Amino acid sequence: YLKFLTGKVYQKPPKESAVKKEIRIRKIYYIDVIEEDKNYTILKARVQHGTYVRSIVRDLSRLHGKEIKLFDLRRTRSGNVVEENCISL
């Protein structure tokens, strides 16, 4: 079901977003399952800047046919800055 969410996708900002609720097109390069259990799934994705990850989770929920909630979101890269080269505060 993840293959349906890759490539160019139309996204409407989630309710929580403070931006104008206009549909935008963003590219999702890949979504991979890192770990899966009956209670949770850990995903890794590479997306175009401005992509709403909450919208991806909402769409996953619709495709899967059951409620899926975003528990944690971690940005491991932004442009040329990668997590491995960062210092924890």
Side-chain angles (χ1 to χ4, degrees):
Y1 51 88
L2 294 175
K3 66 182 175 185
F4 294 111
L5 297 175
T6 57
K8 289 186 179 181
V9 297
Y10 293 87
Q11 288 195 319
K12 185 174 182 181
K15 295 175 192 174
E16 298 87 358
S17 179
V19 299
K20 192 172 182 180
K21 306 299 187 238
E22 290 182 344
I23 293 178
R24 54 172 75 173
I25 300 171
R26 291 294 180 258
K27 186 163 185 181
I28 301 174
Y29 301 100
Y30 67 82
I31 302 176
D32 293 330
V33 175
I34 302 298
E35 187 176 332
E36 196 164 21
D37 187 300
K38 71 175 190 167
N39 297 317
Y40 68 88
T41 302
I42 297 174
L43 302 174
K44 181 175 184 173
R46 179 162 183 241
V47 299
Q48 180 182 359
H49 71 280
T51 301
Y52 292 105
V53 175
R54 282 183 174 79
S55 294
I56 295 172
V57 173
R58 179 194 62 213
D59 295 342
L60 263 174
S61 187
R62 290 177 179 160
L63 283 171
H64 207 271
K66 66 178 184 178
E67 184 179 19
I68 298 174
K69 294 182 181 181
L70 179 65
F71 178 73
D72 191 22
L73 178 61
R74 182 175 179 172
R75 184 175 297 188
T76 59
R77 178 185 183 129
S78 182
N80 292 330
V81 179
V82 292
E83 185 179 34
E84 294 83 29
N85 296 337
C86 295
I87 299 170
S88 179
L89 296 176

